[in-house]
């Protein structure tokens, strides 16, 4: 059976080149990067070379990049690291209603500890209310944490605009750039970023490795104590193979890949919207090159997912029908989607390996699946 | 989703044998609502106190669709009294188990059957 993987916002296939680049660091080049002997120095060189590649990609300095275990750790380290470091100066943090759980649940945890969190509204087409941001900043505000690209609906926020607001008000700015990294250009200086979270496995790199950009001069409270690795900001023996794979994945992502995904995405959206009872979630403009989030009337997302899986096609639902409360996705709720439309929402996320043939096969299968499910659904 | 549905459940989901509508049904049971994600319509035809035909139309997840289909299979050919004795546990067991958040789907199917029988009983008394 044909297999089509359209869940690249969940994770991606590792590029062959990435696997090849990593392999020596599992066997021959196994050294601990903290050791002075040649084994250690070989690993150290690989780590520092990778750090530079990632720093260059976002116009940062290598010493501003801290390797972590992934996006969730980066978000935890950024937000808790600033909150605990600056709690003497203020206890207010601003974020939005449609952040990833790795930001939302950190915020909720901090709330329990006495911090005040403002959750900004999101517009119907998926953009954070910047007027509300301006009005929400107070003398107590120590951090603004707003995501770059949304993981469910793919809308990309104007981080340079947000950065200007934060600069004017002299507040630190963190962005969760896990979905956007290497797909949307990020210049940490232009965006006045203080911190930014990245992950490797969303761009054909390995799982279990990520990074946090921390602007020079900004101190964060360490969250993992131990050795003095990563400029004494995150203890633990470096994941050398992961770091090497991460940098390779970043190097491999080219402008032409993004253009290819953009074209395929637009074609996919155009064809999907020809179906009866479909609507696109999130703006068509300022949208990730690989995200298509569509609500289908009169079907339930999980049923569509499983029926497509039967045809070899992997997609994702946005609706959290599995939660005990049957609450629809917080992202779709934040953009004001009606619960009945949330339940019929499917996210398709492309990669540079997705072909037009894959998309056509998916469109044909979808036509069949939606018709079948609507056929057994009450009118 | 951190659970896996049984093969039996997936067979009911992919090939429901009892999906459809019965025109001029003797009883109709409607449960659920769209904002919760599940809506079930159950139709029954009753002759001599026996459910001779039963069909469903369900908008919902795989658990809801397969529970509807299995319920129809179980109720078909049974007397009203026996059909009323089908429990949520029967459905869950025969579906090879359901994860906790999906248990309500089986309950929904039972509710729909009870409502259809109630509808039939009321209409029958009026005759």
């Amino acid at each position: 059976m044909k297999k089509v993987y359209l869940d690249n916002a969940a994770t991606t296939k590792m590029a062959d080149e990435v696997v090849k680049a990593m392999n020596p660091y599992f066997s021959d080049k196994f050294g601990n990067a903290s050791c002075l002997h040649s084994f250690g120095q070989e690993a150290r060189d690989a780590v520092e070379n990778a750090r530079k590649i990632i720093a260059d990609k976002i116009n940062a300095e290598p010493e501003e990049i801290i390797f972590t275990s992934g996006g969730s750790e980066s978000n935890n380290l950024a937000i808790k690291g600033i909150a605990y470091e600056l709690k003497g100066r203020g206890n207010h943090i601003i974020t939005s209603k449609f952040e990833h759980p790795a930001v939302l649940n950190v915020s909720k945890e901090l709330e329990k500890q006495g911090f005040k969190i403002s959750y900004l509204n999101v517009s119907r087409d998926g953009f954070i209310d910047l007027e509300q941001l301006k009005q929400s900043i107070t003398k107590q505000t120590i951090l603004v944490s707003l995501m770059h690209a949304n993981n469910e609906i793919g809308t990309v926020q104007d981080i340079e605009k947000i950065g200007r607001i934060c600069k004017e008000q002299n507040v630190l700015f963190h962005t969760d750039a896990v979905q956007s990294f290497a797909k949307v250009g990020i210049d940490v200086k232009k965006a006045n970023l203080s911190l930014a979270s990245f992950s490797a496995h969303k761009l054909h790199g390995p799982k279990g490795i990520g990074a946090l950009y921390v602007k020079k001069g900004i101190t964060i409270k360490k969250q993992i104590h131990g050795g003095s690795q990563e400029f004494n900001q995150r203890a633990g023996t470096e994941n050398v193979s992961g770091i090497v794979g991460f940098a390779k994945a970043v190097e491999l992502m080219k402008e032409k890949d993004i253009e290819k995904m953009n074209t395929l995405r637009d074609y996919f959206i155009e064809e999907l919207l020809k179906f009866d009872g479909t609507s696109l979630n999130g703006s068509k403009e300022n949208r990730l090159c690989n995200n298509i989030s569509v609500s289908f009337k009169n079907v339930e997302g999980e049923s569509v997912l499983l029926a497509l899986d039967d045809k070899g096609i992997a997609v994702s639902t946005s609706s959290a029908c599995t939660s005990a409360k049957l609450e629809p996705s917080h992202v779709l709720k934040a953009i004001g989607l009606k619960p009945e439309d949330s339940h019929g929402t499917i996210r398709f996320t492309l990669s540079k390996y997705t072909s037009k043939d894959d998309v056509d096969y998916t469109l044909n299968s979808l036509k069949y699946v939606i018709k079948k499910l609507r056929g057994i659904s009450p009118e | 989703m951190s659970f896996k549905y049984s093969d039996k459940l997936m067979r009911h989901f992919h090939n429901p044998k009892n999906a459809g509508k019965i025109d001029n049904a003797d009883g109709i049971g409607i449960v659920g609502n769209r904002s919760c994600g599940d809506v079930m319509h159950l139709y029954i035809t009753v002759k001599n106190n026996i459910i001779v035909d039963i069909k469903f139309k369900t908008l919902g997840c795989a658990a809801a669709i397969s529970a509807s289909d299995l319920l129809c299979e179980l109720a078909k050919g049974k007397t009203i009294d026996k059909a009323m004795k089908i429990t949520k546990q029967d459905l869950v067991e025969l579906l090879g188990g359901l994860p906790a958040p999906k248990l309500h789907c089986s309950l929904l199917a039972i509710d729909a059957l009870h409502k259809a029988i109630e509808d039939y009983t009321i209409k029958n008394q009026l005759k």
Side-chain angles (χ1 to χ4, degrees):
Chain A
M1 187 174 49
K2 188 174 167 71
K3 286 269 191 187
V4 179
Y5 184 77
L6 296 179
D7 199 10
N8 288 283
T11 194
T12 57
K13 167 195 149 92
M14 265 167 67
D16 293 342
E17 298 92 324
V18 169
V19 178
K20 208 176 149 208
M22 288 172 72
N23 267 336
Y25 295 92
F26 290 116
S27 47
D28 299 341
K29 304 182 181 182
F30 62 87
N32 182 328
S34 296
C35 297
L36 270 178
H37 46 63
S38 64
F39 293 84
Q41 289 314 299
E42 191 174 42
R44 171 57 55 201
D45 288 348
V47 168
E48 295 318 317
N49 178 47
R51 202 188 302 280
K52 184 162 180 355
I53 290 166
I54 289 161
D56 284 348
K57 188 80 181 172
I58 56 170
N59 193 23
E61 303 303 319
E63 56 274 26
E64 293 176 315
I65 302 296
I66 298 172
F67 286 112
T68 67
S69 65
S72 290
E73 191 196 326
S74 293
N75 284 333
N76 271 265
L77 179 57
I79 302 170
K80 290 180 190 163
I82 291 297
Y84 297 150
E85 183 66 26
L86 298 183
K87 66 179 174 194
R89 223 182 75 189
N91 70 342
H92 180 228
I93 292 170
I94 299 172
T95 185
S96 83
K97 286 182 179 163
F98 81 156
E99 298 294 315
H100 189 273
V103 167
L104 278 184
N105 289 336
V106 173
S107 304
K108 283 178 191 157
E109 179 58 30
L110 289 175
E111 254 175 330
K112 283 186 211 157
Q113 298 171 25
F115 287 89
K116 300 266 182 287
I117 316 282
S118 297
Y119 299 92
L120 299 180
N121 292 329
V122 183
S123 66
R124 188 69 180 80
D125 56 353
F127 297 101
I128 292 161
D129 185 342
L130 298 188
E131 276 311 307
Q132 198 193 5
L133 167 63
K134 282 183 202 163
Q135 287 155 17
S136 302
I137 298 175
T138 69
K139 284 207 170 77
Q140 290 294 307
T141 310
I142 48 174
L143 180 69
V144 169
S145 177
L146 295 172
M147 73 197 318
H148 190 198
N150 184 270
N151 52 310
E152 285 188 30
I153 58 169
T155 48
V156 181
Q157 307 301 316
D158 187 342
I159 51 171
E160 294 188 9
K161 229 182 215 173
I162 298 170
R164 271 199 298 279
I165 296 170
C166 294
K167 194 174 183 176
E168 280 162 18
Q169 309 274 345
N170 200 22
V171 176
L172 300 184
F173 173 31
H174 164 248
T175 194
D176 171 0
V178 165
Q179 292 291 343
S180 61
F181 187 39
K183 294 191 192 87
V184 185
I186 297 170
D187 182 321
V188 292
K189 295 190 173 70
K190 275 191 189 158
N192 183 43
L193 278 160
S194 313
L195 308 114
S197 303
F198 308 106
S199 170
H201 76 105
K202 309 289 190 190
L203 48 127
H204 308 291
K207 293 171 186 63
I209 186 76
L212 180 67
Y213 158 78
V214 184
K215 191 182 175 180
K216 225 182 288 173
I218 291 174
T219 316
I220 51 171
K221 191 71 121 191
K222 197 171 179 174
Q223 296 302 304
I224 296 179
H225 299 269
S228 60
Q229 291 93 347
E230 297 303 295
F231 314 110
N232 201 21
Q233 297 192 86
R234 196 267 189 190
T237 299
E238 292 87 345
N239 174 359
V240 180
S241 59
I243 290 169
V244 167
F246 188 6
K248 191 69 189 173
V250 170
E251 275 186 325
L252 285 171
M253 199 64 115
K254 300 278 191 262
E255 195 54 43
K256 67 169 181 18
D257 298 321
I258 295 161
E259 278 164 23
K260 182 191 162 193
M261 284 187 270
N262 264 326
T263 308
L264 217 47
R265 175 204 61 190
D266 289 344
Y267 168 71
F268 201 160
I269 291 174
E270 194 183 54
E271 291 300 313
L272 267 178
L273 293 181
K274 287 180 188 166
F275 289 30
D276 283 340
T278 53
S279 53
L280 181 71
N281 298 307
S283 155
K284 259 188 191 174
E285 285 78 42
N286 300 318
R287 188 182 189 97
L288 275 183
C289 57
N290 69 335
N291 175 293
I292 298 114
S293 168
V294 171
S295 298
F296 297 90
K297 287 244 183 263
N298 224 13
V299 289
E300 209 275 335
E302 187 206 82
S303 290
V304 178
L305 181 154
L306 290 168
L308 284 176
D309 190 42
D310 197 46
K311 307 270 169 229
I313 302 164
V315 300
S316 163
T317 58
S318 284
S319 137
C321 184
T322 50
S323 79
K325 284 194 268 170
L326 293 180
E327 285 267 324
S329 132
H330 72 284
V331 172
L332 300 176
K333 203 174 155 190
I335 63 166
L337 204 67
K338 283 188 275 180
E340 52 265 49
D341 292 329
S342 292
H343 289 301
T345 299
I346 296 287
R347 179 189 71 183
F348 307 87
T349 41
L350 316 172
S351 82
K352 65 176 178 180
Y353 300 114
T354 311
S355 66
K356 181 165 180 297
D357 192 46
D358 293 336
V359 171
D360 284 331
Y361 175 72
T362 304
L363 286 164
N364 283 333
S365 305
L366 256 176
K367 261 178 215 158
Y368 168 80
V369 162
I370 298 289
K371 195 178 164 202
K372 182 181 165 190
L373 290 172
R374 281 183 181 159
I376 64 169
S377 172
E379 286 93 41
Chain B
M1 185 159 75
S2 53
F3 60 88
K4 196 178 177 298
Y5 286 132
S6 73
D7 291 344
K8 182 161 183 204
L9 186 149
M10 289 307 284
R11 277 198 296 279
H12 278 286
F13 168 67
H14 287 306
N15 293 304
K17 301 258 188 307
N18 304 293
K21 187 179 172 180
I22 301 175
D23 294 322
N24 308 314
D26 295 323
I28 302 173
I30 295 176
V31 291
N33 68 65
R34 271 163 209 264
S35 62
C36 294
D38 292 314
V39 187
M40 226 174 257
H41 290 198
L42 204 70
Y43 309 88
I44 53 172
T45 305
V46 182
K47 280 202 179 100
N48 301 324
N49 213 35
I50 290 169
I51 298 173
V52 292
D53 199 10
I54 175 165
K55 289 205 180 305
F56 76 91
K57 283 226 162 186
T58 294
L59 163 63
C61 62
I65 291 172
S66 54
S68 313
D69 193 48
L70 177 66
L71 177 75
C72 292
E73 194 177 295
L74 293 179
K76 201 168 181 172
K78 280 199 169 65
T79 60
I80 295 282
D81 288 350
K82 281 205 172 147
M84 283 297 284
K85 291 202 176 88
I86 301 169
T87 65
K88 178 179 129 178
Q89 284 73 22
D90 295 336
L91 285 186
V92 174
E93 260 171 51
L94 286 166
L95 287 173
L98 279 179
K102 296 286 184 182
L103 285 172
H104 75 280
C105 297
S106 56
L107 193 63
L108 207 61
I110 300 285
D111 282 351
L113 177 63
H114 290 182
K115 283 210 169 168
I117 290 173
E118 191 184 302
D119 184 45
Y120 159 74
T121 311
I122 293 167
K123 282 178 183 161
N124 206 34
Q125 281 165 354
L126 292 175
K127 273 180 193 170

